[in-house]
Amino acid sequence: MNTSFLPRIAVLATGGTIAGQAGDASKTAGYKAGVVGVDKLLAAVPALSSVASIHAEQIASIDSKDMSAALWTTLARRIDELLAQDDIVGVVVTHGTDTLEETAYLLHLTVKSAKPVVLTAAMRPSTALSADGPLNLLNAVTVAASASAKGQGVLVAFNNQIHCARDVTKTSTYAVDAFRSPETGVLGFVQDGRVEFQRTVVRPHTSASEFAVADRWPMVEVVTSHADASGVMVDALVAAGVKGIVIAGTGNGSMHATLTHALGDAVKQGVAVVRASRVGSGHVMRNGAANDDALGTISAGTLNPYKARVLLMLALAASAQDLQRVFDTY
Ligand code: ASP
């Protein structure tokens, strides 16, 4: 088939359940993630040949629970190289669902192009009955090839929905509609070849972001507050040289008094502390005398703790001084 008239899309594979393999087609757990190569993933979707001409690369073959900042740097730089080519109109990244929201937000803040970058994944391995990966991949390529996706930042195409990288989060351990954008909702839909956006992204991203991936990343960790929380983990992290701590706090990023005491000491030693919430939706507002003004902590707004960690890593790598502005902006 002559594909020269079709938009050229780069598909970068990193592993995940979409590339998972099980010995038994009826099994949707207990499989090995990240073992099926990108050529086989593409071959399972014959309909792609009428949507795009594909350039495929295997960037990694991992279970995304093992994602690393070093791999983020490799991935973001390769995406920028590909998008700088005139013939490439967009990039699709196949990924595991577990840390997809972190990679998506990292790319949203570091890729320097208005061309579409779309992540997709699957909840069922490629060998499963009713595997969801093939249709998700077809939809992701369809979105990446769509002119309407340009300038919307990094997107996640999953289960016929299009999400903004900043807002999307995994909300189920097994359901095929595992991804949601709490509070904000989806950006749009992709179904049967039709791409429809319902809203646009207003916070700065991609070329309008001040951030870039780093060769060396600062150590930033997430600590949870809960009944009986102690300061042991915070003290250990400070001793290990941590540069930033994100608190997955209760409610409005509130923290156990014992933990608060340890974090106050950490701030005095130069550690950046950001308050996010473990609740799963809603804002974390600045809380004045309770923490932020008194201790010098930062509120994460609507970012969940894991996305707040991504932004804090980028901000610290860029030596940003005004961290509250950073969190209020991105
Ligand atoms: N369970 C994961 C997934 O759904 C595995 C991974 O994140 O790579 O893709």
Side-chain angles (χ1 to χ4, degrees):
M1 174 191 267
N2 176 10
T3 57
S4 57
F5 60 93
L6 290 171
R8 188 137 176 88
I9 301 293
V11 175
L12 307 186
T14 67
T17 295
I18 193 168
Q21 199 164 36
D24 177 340
S26 66
K27 294 278 180 280
T28 54
Y31 57 88
K32 193 158 168 31
V35 292
V36 177
V38 65
D39 291 343
K40 220 166 155 190
L41 294 188
L42 294 167
V45 195
L48 279 171
S49 64
S50 56
V51 176
S53 123
I54 305 282
H55 163 86
E57 290 183 20
Q58 191 79 44
I59 300 289
S61 297
I62 61 163
D63 185 321
S64 79
K65 71 181 175 57
D66 298 321
M67 183 50 66
S68 67
L71 185 49
W72 281 343
T73 299
T74 303
L75 183 61
R77 287 187 177 152
R78 187 61 189 136
I79 291 172
D80 272 341
E81 280 170 8
L82 287 163
L83 293 180
Q85 290 178 208
D86 289 343
D87 62 326
I88 300 282
V89 307
V91 168
V92 167
V93 178
T94 61
H95 200 285
T97 57
D98 290 348
T99 56
L100 181 143
E101 66 201 71
E102 297 169 52
T103 301
Y105 188 43
L106 182 284
L107 296 174
H108 190 63
L109 295 177
T110 55
V111 165
K112 300 297 177 209
S113 173
K115 293 180 184 175
V117 176
V118 185
L119 278 76
T120 196
M123 290 300 286
R124 295 178 180 153
S126 67
T127 49
L129 292 171
S130 300
D132 52 333
L135 184 56
N136 283 344
L137 180 54
L138 178 63
N139 283 339
V141 171
T142 303
V143 174
S146 162
S148 59
K150 218 173 161 185
Q152 305 261 24
V154 172
L155 303 168
V156 173
F158 202 88
N159 199 39
N160 294 113
Q161 297 178 327
I162 305 168
H163 295 264
C164 171
R166 182 186 190 278
D167 302 321
V168 71
T169 189
K170 183 175 177 179
T171 62
S172 173
T173 55
Y174 68 91
V176 290
D177 64 341
F179 285 86
R180 298 256 191 276
S181 295
E183 308 281 323
T184 54
V186 299
L187 278 184
F189 302 92
V190 49
Q191 189 156 11
D192 300 356
R194 181 179 159 82
V195 176
E196 185 184 323
F197 281 89
Q198 305 277 354
R199 63 185 181 89
T200 52
V201 177
V202 294
R203 291 203 176 215
H205 55 73
T206 54
S207 303
S209 160
E210 66 201 87
F211 300 116
V213 285
D215 289 312
R216 285 168 55 87
W217 291 93
M219 181 182 177
V220 177
E221 297 275 328
V222 177
V223 174
T224 306
S225 187
H226 48 80
D228 277 336
S230 75
V232 171
M233 279 195 276
V234 170
D235 294 344
L237 287 171
V238 172
V242 78
K243 298 289 181 269
I245 296 175
V246 176
I247 294 298
T250 41
N252 181 35
S254 56
M255 308 173 297
H256 192 286
T258 313
L259 190 55
T260 306
H261 188 76
L263 286 166
D265 289 346
V267 173
K268 281 189 197 128
Q269 293 184 59
V271 177
V273 176
V274 173
R275 295 182 310 104
S277 178
R278 66 181 207 181
V279 166
S281 65
H283 290 75
V284 171
M285 306 292 288
R286 276 191 72 82
N287 67 0
N291 299 126
D292 297 329
D293 293 344
L295 302 179
T297 52
I298 307 298
S299 66
T302 51
L303 291 177
N304 74 26
Y306 318 103
K307 288 176 193 260
R309 175 177 180 269
V310 168
L311 182 54
L312 186 54
M313 284 174 74
L314 288 168
L316 293 176
S319 302
Q321 300 298 315
D322 44 358
L323 290 175
Q324 191 61 66
R325 175 200 60 86
V326 167
F327 277 82
D328 290 345
T329 304
Y330 295 95

